[in-house]
Amino acid sequence: EPEVTQTPSHQVTQMGQEVILRCVPISNHLYFYWYRQILGQKVEFLVSFYNNEISEKSEIFDDQFSVERPDGSNFTLKIRSTKLEDSAMYFCASSQTSGGLGEQFFGPGTRLTVL
Amino acid sequence: SQQGEEDPQALSIQEGENATMNCSYKTSINNLQWYRQNSGRGLVHLILIRSNEREKHSGRLRVTLDTSKKSSSLLITASRAADTASYFCATFYSSASKIIFGSGTRLSIRP
């Protein structure tokens, strides 16, 4: 069964460093998303991406964040200068249809720890 | 806030009993989805119910949607130890291309 994959599973970085979180969505999906979940809190939407551009982003997704689909398979989230409060689980998701019209398939997540 | 909110926040039941979790939301939605998350793991999609549907079944899961009350319920029948997890409702609004997650219900099944 096709699935969304994410690498690395755990990333530890120093405050101020740049990190790139990688995702491989399901191959025939067209819509891609990043969410994050701070420990013990709810899952929060960050950004949605379609047709090589951002469809929507939350207030969390400030200038420190960027997304890219560098090739036909990868979808990345870059945090330019990490802060302590960026420590969280980051989930990538993809769907065949727009937004919540269809099921969003989630990856297993990357746990980001900023020291 | 447009967020879905679940209640109870935590639920502990005996294996074999039924578990009911509720979700309320604030504005009109296109659909509502339920997800499960095992501790420290990713989100698993359970079921999607559209705004024009009232009830949906999938195996031991039964979801209802009452758009007049802006609420949904997830019933897990004949619970098993493996059902221990957090359960989230997630709502999709036509004005946005994102889904909004609630705070979740932590379900514990006692053997």
Tab-separated table of all heavy atoms in Angstrom, chain B residues 1-37:
chain	number	residue	atom	x	y	z
B	1	SER	N	-12.779	30.868	17.003
B	1	SER	CA	-11.954	29.775	16.503
B	1	SER	C	-12.795	28.808	15.693
B	1	SER	O	-13.946	28.574	16.002
B	1	SER	CB	-11.322	29.081	17.701
B	1	SER	OG	-10.802	27.840	17.319
B	2	GLN	N	-12.204	28.244	14.618
B	2	GLN	CA	-12.936	27.281	13.830
B	2	GLN	C	-12.613	25.861	14.249
B	2	GLN	O	-13.015	24.912	13.606
B	2	GLN	CB	-12.561	27.445	12.350
B	2	GLN	CG	-13.018	28.749	11.751
B	2	GLN	CD	-12.591	28.854	10.309
B	2	GLN	OE1	-11.481	28.481	9.962
B	2	GLN	NE2	-13.451	29.364	9.462
B	3	GLN	N	-11.863	25.694	15.306
B	3	GLN	CA	-11.342	24.380	15.633
B	3	GLN	C	-12.413	23.445	16.123
B	3	GLN	O	-13.363	23.830	16.799
B	3	GLN	CB	-10.267	24.508	16.705
B	3	GLN	CG	-9.064	25.287	16.230
B	3	GLN	CD	-8.247	25.841	17.375
B	3	GLN	OE1	-8.726	26.013	18.465
B	3	GLN	NE2	-6.990	26.131	17.108
B	4	GLY	N	-12.221	22.139	15.823
B	4	GLY	CA	-13.032	21.117	16.447
B	4	GLY	C	-12.497	20.867	17.838
B	4	GLY	O	-11.299	20.919	18.063
B	5	GLU	N	-13.375	20.619	18.762
B	5	GLU	CA	-12.953	20.317	20.116
B	5	GLU	C	-13.585	19.012	20.543
B	5	GLU	O	-14.787	18.819	20.401
B	5	GLU	CB	-13.368	21.431	21.075
B	5	GLU	CG	-12.680	22.769	20.813
B	5	GLU	CD	-11.169	22.717	20.976
B	5	GLU	OE1	-10.672	21.856	21.735
B	5	GLU	OE2	-10.481	23.532	20.339
B	6	GLU	N	-12.751	18.109	21.053
B	6	GLU	CA	-13.258	16.805	21.450
B	6	GLU	C	-13.570	16.774	22.944
B	6	GLU	O	-12.939	17.475	23.740
B	6	GLU	CB	-12.218	15.707	21.153
B	6	GLU	CG	-11.977	15.446	19.681
B	6	GLU	CD	-10.847	16.281	19.152
B	6	GLU	OE1	-10.554	17.336	19.738
B	6	GLU	OE2	-10.232	15.879	18.158
B	7	ASP	N	-14.502	15.924	23.272
B	7	ASP	CA	-14.675	15.592	24.678
B	7	ASP	C	-15.073	14.131	24.771
B	7	ASP	O	-15.681	13.591	23.851
B	7	ASP	CB	-15.701	16.514	25.367
B	7	ASP	CG	-17.126	16.109	25.096
B	7	ASP	OD1	-17.687	16.594	24.114
B	7	ASP	OD2	-17.650	15.267	25.867
B	8	PRO	N	-14.701	13.418	25.805
B	8	PRO	CA	-13.861	13.955	26.872
B	8	PRO	C	-12.407	14.118	26.431
B	8	PRO	O	-12.029	13.632	25.379
B	8	PRO	CB	-13.977	12.878	27.954
B	8	PRO	CG	-14.154	11.608	27.172
B	8	PRO	CD	-15.001	11.999	25.978
B	9	GLN	N	-11.597	14.769	27.235
B	9	GLN	CA	-10.174	14.881	26.935
B	9	GLN	C	-9.485	13.543	27.147
B	9	GLN	O	-8.510	13.233	26.467
B	9	GLN	CB	-9.521	15.934	27.822
B	9	GLN	CG	-9.928	17.347	27.469
B	9	GLN	CD	-9.153	18.376	28.261
B	9	GLN	OE1	-8.921	18.189	29.454
B	9	GLN	NE2	-8.753	19.445	27.615
B	10	ALA	N	-9.973	12.765	28.107
B	10	ALA	CA	-9.399	11.450	28.378
B	10	ALA	C	-10.524	10.498	28.740
B	10	ALA	O	-11.513	10.890	29.360
B	10	ALA	CB	-8.375	11.530	29.516
B	11	LEU	N	-10.375	9.248	28.313
B	11	LEU	CA	-11.397	8.232	28.534
B	11	LEU	C	-10.710	6.900	28.801
B	11	LEU	O	-9.847	6.484	28.019
B	11	LEU	CB	-12.286	8.135	27.292
B	11	LEU	CG	-13.412	7.114	27.286
B	11	LEU	CD1	-14.414	7.426	28.381
B	11	LEU	CD2	-14.105	7.103	25.934
B	12	SER	N	-11.093	6.264	29.901
B	12	SER	CA	-10.520	4.965	30.237
B	12	SER	C	-11.660	3.971	30.402
B	12	SER	O	-12.575	4.202	31.192
B	12	SER	CB	-9.714	5.062	31.545
B	12	SER	OG	-9.184	3.795	31.897
B	13	ILE	N	-11.615	2.895	29.629
B	13	ILE	CA	-12.692	1.904	29.690
B	13	ILE	C	-12.106	0.505	29.723
B	13	ILE	O	-10.932	0.290	29.423
B	13	ILE	CB	-13.658	2.028	28.492
B	13	ILE	CG1	-12.912	1.803	27.174
B	13	ILE	CG2	-14.372	3.368	28.504
B	13	ILE	CD1	-13.828	1.732	25.968
B	14	GLN	N	-12.948	-0.440	30.066
B	14	GLN	CA	-12.552	-1.844	30.111
B	14	GLN	C	-12.585	-2.425	28.696
B	14	GLN	O	-13.448	-2.046	27.880
B	14	GLN	CB	-13.548	-2.606	30.995
B	14	GLN	CG	-13.038	-3.885	31.593
B	14	GLN	CD	-12.042	-3.645	32.715
B	14	GLN	OE1	-12.169	-2.688	33.469
B	14	GLN	NE2	-11.061	-4.518	32.815
B	15	GLU	N	-11.652	-3.291	28.422
B	15	GLU	CA	-11.640	-3.981	27.126
B	15	GLU	C	-12.998	-4.657	26.894
B	15	GLU	O	-13.570	-5.270	27.810
B	15	GLU	CB	-10.533	-5.036	27.122
B	15	GLU	CG	-10.225	-5.610	25.753
B	15	GLU	CD	-8.938	-6.418	25.757
B	15	GLU	OE1	-8.432	-6.739	26.846
B	15	GLU	OE2	-8.439	-6.722	24.657
B	16	GLY	N	-13.489	-4.501	25.687
B	16	GLY	CA	-14.789	-5.091	25.356
B	16	GLY	C	-15.928	-4.088	25.422
B	16	GLY	O	-16.973	-4.281	24.782
B	17	GLU	N	-15.741	-3.015	26.173
B	17	GLU	CA	-16.775	-1.977	26.255
B	17	GLU	C	-16.711	-1.090	25.011
B	17	GLU	O	-15.745	-1.119	24.251
B	17	GLU	CB	-16.578	-1.122	27.512
B	17	GLU	CG	-16.822	-1.876	28.806
B	17	GLU	CD	-16.605	-0.996	30.026
B	17	GLU	OE1	-15.895	0.017	29.920
B	17	GLU	OE2	-17.135	-1.346	31.090
B	18	ASN	N	-17.761	-0.305	24.855
B	18	ASN	CA	-17.795	0.663	23.745
B	18	ASN	C	-17.242	1.997	24.223
B	18	ASN	O	-17.428	2.389	25.380
B	18	ASN	CB	-19.229	0.864	23.263
B	18	ASN	CG	-19.817	-0.405	22.671
B	18	ASN	OD1	-19.094	-1.348	22.338
B	18	ASN	ND2	-21.128	-0.438	22.552
B	19	ALA	N	-16.565	2.694	23.308
B	19	ALA	CA	-16.012	4.011	23.612
B	19	ALA	C	-16.668	5.038	22.710
B	19	ALA	O	-16.747	4.828	21.498
B	19	ALA	CB	-14.505	4.018	23.394
B	20	THR	N	-17.139	6.123	23.300
B	20	THR	CA	-17.746	7.199	22.520
B	20	THR	C	-16.990	8.489	22.768
B	20	THR	O	-16.760	8.883	23.913
B	20	THR	CB	-19.220	7.392	22.891
B	20	THR	OG1	-19.932	6.178	22.641
B	20	THR	CG2	-19.834	8.509	22.062
B	21	MET	N	-16.590	9.116	21.679
B	21	MET	CA	-15.906	10.406	21.746
B	21	MET	C	-16.700	11.401	20.927
B	21	MET	O	-17.259	11.046	19.883
B	21	MET	CB	-14.488	10.276	21.173
B	21	MET	CG	-13.581	9.473	22.085
B	21	MET	SD	-12.160	8.793	21.223
B	21	MET	CE	-12.842	7.263	20.625
B	22	ASN	N	-16.730	12.628	21.384
B	22	ASN	CA	-17.509	13.661	20.723
B	22	ASN	C	-16.631	14.791	20.236
B	22	ASN	O	-15.554	15.040	20.783
B	22	ASN	CB	-18.555	14.229	21.693
B	22	ASN	CG	-19.461	13.147	22.233
B	22	ASN	OD1	-20.207	12.523	21.490
B	22	ASN	ND2	-19.391	12.888	23.532
B	23	CYS	N	-17.117	15.457	19.224
B	23	CYS	CA	-16.379	16.575	18.646
B	23	CYS	C	-17.376	17.673	18.327
B	23	CYS	O	-18.449	17.401	17.764
B	23	CYS	CB	-15.675	16.107	17.364
B	23	CYS	SG	-14.977	17.415	16.352
B	24	SER	N	-17.045	18.901	18.686
B	24	SER	CA	-17.897	20.025	18.313
B	24	SER	C	-17.066	21.026	17.530
B	24	SER	O	-15.852	21.133	17.716
B	24	SER	CB	-18.492	20.687	19.562
B	24	SER	OG	-17.454	21.159	20.414
B	25	TYR	N	-17.720	21.727	16.643
B	25	TYR	CA	-17.027	22.723	15.827
B	25	TYR	C	-17.896	23.958	15.723
B	25	TYR	O	-19.035	23.965	16.213
B	25	TYR	CB	-16.682	22.145	14.445
B	25	TYR	CG	-17.866	21.610	13.689
B	25	TYR	CD1	-18.591	22.415	12.807
B	25	TYR	CD2	-18.277	20.298	13.854
B	25	TYR	CE1	-19.683	21.929	12.121
B	25	TYR	CE2	-19.359	19.797	13.172
B	25	TYR	CZ	-20.058	20.612	12.307
B	25	TYR	OH	-21.149	20.126	11.628
B	26	LYS	N	-17.370	24.988	15.078
B	26	LYS	CA	-18.066	26.268	15.212
B	26	LYS	C	-18.712	26.810	13.941
B	26	LYS	O	-19.695	27.533	14.027
B	26	LYS	CB	-17.103	27.305	15.784
B	26	LYS	CG	-16.687	26.949	17.204
B	26	LYS	CD	-15.977	28.052	17.910
B	26	LYS	CE	-15.741	27.612	19.352
B	26	LYS	NZ	-14.721	28.389	20.023
B	27	THR	N	-18.143	26.526	12.774
B	27	THR	CA	-18.758	27.087	11.567
B	27	THR	C	-19.068	25.963	10.591
B	27	THR	O	-18.691	24.821	10.799
B	27	THR	CB	-17.831	28.122	10.915
B	27	THR	OG1	-16.623	27.476	10.511
B	27	THR	CG2	-17.471	29.236	11.886
B	28	SER	N	-19.741	26.288	9.511
B	28	SER	CA	-20.140	25.274	8.534
B	28	SER	C	-18.922	24.599	7.920
B	28	SER	O	-17.923	25.244	7.630
B	28	SER	CB	-20.963	25.932	7.419
B	28	SER	OG	-22.148	26.440	7.936
B	29	ILE	N	-19.052	23.317	7.734
B	29	ILE	CA	-17.932	22.534	7.216
B	29	ILE	C	-18.324	21.793	5.949
B	29	ILE	O	-19.506	21.607	5.666
B	29	ILE	CB	-17.435	21.503	8.263
B	29	ILE	CG1	-18.577	20.551	8.664
B	29	ILE	CG2	-16.852	22.203	9.478
B	29	ILE	CD1	-18.131	19.390	9.524
B	30	ASN	N	-17.310	21.360	5.201
B	30	ASN	CA	-17.525	20.484	4.052
B	30	ASN	C	-17.500	19.018	4.469
B	30	ASN	O	-18.266	18.209	3.958
B	30	ASN	CB	-16.451	20.709	2.991
B	30	ASN	CG	-16.795	21.876	2.096
B	30	ASN	OD1	-17.517	22.775	2.510
B	30	ASN	ND2	-16.286	21.869	0.878
B	31	ASN	N	-16.590	18.707	5.355
B	31	ASN	CA	-16.546	17.350	5.890
B	31	ASN	C	-15.818	17.332	7.218
B	31	ASN	O	-15.203	18.328	7.621
B	31	ASN	CB	-15.912	16.356	4.905
B	31	ASN	CG	-14.439	16.629	4.659
B	31	ASN	OD1	-13.654	16.690	5.586
B	31	ASN	ND2	-14.067	16.785	3.403
B	32	LEU	N	-15.920	16.213	7.873
B	32	LEU	CA	-15.257	16.022	9.152
B	32	LEU	C	-14.566	14.666	9.099
B	32	LEU	O	-15.124	13.689	8.582
B	32	LEU	CB	-16.270	16.074	10.292
B	32	LEU	CG	-15.727	16.020	11.725
B	32	LEU	CD1	-16.568	16.910	12.640
B	32	LEU	CD2	-15.681	14.599	12.244
B	33	GLN	N	-13.355	14.627	9.606
B	33	GLN	CA	-12.580	13.395	9.565
B	33	GLN	C	-12.119	13.033	10.971
B	33	GLN	O	-11.905	13.915	11.800
B	33	GLN	CB	-11.367	13.578	8.637
B	33	GLN	CG	-11.746	14.088	7.259
B	33	GLN	CD	-10.581	14.235	6.318
B	33	GLN	OE1	-9.665	13.424	6.308
B	33	GLN	NE2	-10.610	15.276	5.491
B	34	TRP	N	-11.969	11.765	11.204
B	34	TRP	CA	-11.413	11.282	12.472
B	34	TRP	C	-10.081	10.605	12.188
B	34	TRP	O	-9.948	9.826	11.241
B	34	TRP	CB	-12.372	10.304	13.150
B	34	TRP	CG	-13.553	10.986	13.805
B	34	TRP	CD1	-14.761	11.258	13.232
B	34	TRP	CD2	-13.628	11.466	15.150
B	34	TRP	NE1	-15.580	11.886	14.144
B	34	TRP	CE2	-14.913	12.025	15.326
B	34	TRP	CE3	-12.744	11.483	16.228
B	34	TRP	CZ2	-15.329	12.583	16.531
B	34	TRP	CZ3	-13.153	12.037	17.426
B	34	TRP	CH2	-14.430	12.583	17.577
B	35	TYR	N	-9.112	10.910	13.064
B	35	TYR	CA	-7.778	10.336	12.966
B	35	TYR	C	-7.404	9.705	14.299
B	35	TYR	O	-7.868	10.141	15.362
B	35	TYR	CB	-6.726	11.406	12.638
B	35	TYR	CG	-6.749	11.903	11.216
B	35	TYR	CD1	-7.663	12.880	10.802
B	35	TYR	CD2	-5.848	11.407	10.281
B	35	TYR	CE1	-7.677	13.333	9.502
B	35	TYR	CE2	-5.844	11.866	8.967
B	35	TYR	CZ	-6.764	12.827	8.596
B	35	TYR	OH	-6.773	13.276	7.297
B	36	ARG	N	-6.533	8.715	14.225
B	36	ARG	CA	-5.968	8.095	15.427
B	36	ARG	C	-4.474	8.348	15.447
B	36	ARG	O	-3.821	8.345	14.400
B	36	ARG	CB	-6.227	6.582	15.427
B	36	ARG	CG	-5.760	5.886	16.700
B	36	ARG	CD	-5.930	4.383	16.609
B	36	ARG	NE	-4.954	3.782	15.737
B	36	ARG	CZ	-5.233	2.845	14.837
B	36	ARG	NH1	-6.467	2.390	14.706
B	36	ARG	NH2	-4.284	2.359	14.094
B	37	GLN	N	-3.937	8.551	16.647
B	37	GLN	CA	-2.507	8.730	16.794
B	37	GLN	C	-2.040	7.913	17.990
B	37	GLN	O	-2.460	8.171	19.120
B	37	GLN	CB	-2.131	10.197	16.995
B	37	GLN	CG	-0.630	10.436	17.062
B	37	GLN	CD	-0.264	11.883	17.287
B	37	GLN	OE1	-0.962	12.609	17.996
B	37	GLN	NE2	0.833	12.326	16.680
